[in-house]
Amino acid sequence: MKKVILTLALVAAAATSAFAQFGIGAGYANNAQKVGDADPTSTNGFYVEGSYSIPVAGEFSIVPGVRYTYLGKSNTAATNIAGINIGGSSTLVEHYIAVPVMAQYGIDLGAAKLFAFAGPTFSYGLASQTKLEASVAGFSADKPIDNYGENSVYGRANVFVGGGLGLQLGSFQIKGSYDCGLLNRYDSENITCKDNQFRVGVAYLF
């Protein structure tokens, strides 16, 4: 009996892998971060990802993946006091790794396929650095700050829930998605910091 069950499991795994598709994709990424009652601030960048589509039944499939995201923004300010030029700037750069697990359903349109997907994404911050630069009368100095450094209240982990739509033409996909962050990025009871993300990009299926 055990041999029969093992044989059936191997056959099922082989059948699943025969129809499963591996994909690679890249595109534009935007993260809107809201701290407390302040207006959201945005960072922009790009993402690259790999995915593995596992068919379940009909046009329904489960699509886990791994995604790397780069985000950044710069702010500058300048003033003149008593004829002396004073300027300053800050540059934020962040790197993330994420594991999305999407439930996907497709509708065959003949020459193309429309598909929708939704599910959770588990995100972890690899690095986050703010570089401060100040200049006075032609002299400048800069200071990098590790936002995940010692005594920091800025957390690395986050969980998103969201979904999106896409169009598949042959082996190519065009898709967009929006995710809402569930966790408070600040280790604080008085201040909340939450992220929402938007992405649009292309993918190729093998």
Side-chain angles (χ1 to χ4, degrees):
M1 186 63 181
K2 291 182 179 180
K3 291 183 179 180
V4 174
I5 294 175
L6 178 60
T7 301
L8 292 174
L10 292 174
V11 171
T16 299
S17 62
F19 292 101
Q21 284 187 299
F22 175 74
I24 57 173
Y28 165 77
N30 169 271
N31 187 86
Q33 187 171 85
K34 182 174 177 60
V35 179
D37 296 328
D39 293 333
T41 60
S42 291
T43 50
N44 300 286
F46 66 89
Y47 73 89
V48 292
E49 67 179 0
S51 63
Y52 193 69
S53 178
I54 305 170
V56 177
E59 295 295 333
F60 179 71
S61 58
I62 300 296
V63 187
V66 177
R67 178 190 305 129
Y68 163 78
T69 303
Y70 168 92
L71 296 168
K73 70 173 181 177
S74 296
N75 295 315
T76 59
T79 187
N80 186 291
I81 300 178
I84 300 175
N85 292 321
I86 300 175
S89 66
S90 65
T91 302
L92 171 66
V93 173
E94 295 193 304
H95 304 266
Y96 291 91
I97 193 75
V99 178
V101 182
M102 298 289 114
Q104 181 171 298
Y105 184 79
I107 301 175
D108 194 348
L109 303 177
K113 178 186 289 187
L114 179 68
F115 61 92
F117 54 93
T121 296
F122 306 92
S123 175
Y124 186 80
L126 300 175
S128 177
Q129 185 184 77
T130 300
K131 183 178 180 182
L132 303 177
E133 184 174 352
S135 62
V136 179
F139 297 94
S140 63
D142 60 74
K143 178 182 180 181
I145 299 174
D146 181 4
N147 297 319
Y148 294 140
E150 187 177 358
N151 299 323
S152 173
V153 297
Y154 190 50
R156 294 176 183 264
N158 205 347
V159 177
F160 293 88
V161 171
L165 295 172
L167 186 68
Q168 182 172 329
L169 301 168
S171 297
F172 290 92
Q173 290 183 338
I174 303 171
K175 58 184 180 179
S177 61
Y178 188 83
D179 293 328
C180 297
L182 303 181
L183 302 185
N184 182 8
R185 297 291 305 279
Y186 280 5
D187 184 16
S188 170
E189 296 181 356
N190 301 320
I191 302 177
T192 59
C193 173
K194 291 193 174 183
D195 295 347
N196 293 327
Q197 293 187 350
F198 168 76
R199 284 177 303 278
V200 60
V202 296
Y204 181 81
L205 304 179
F206 294 90

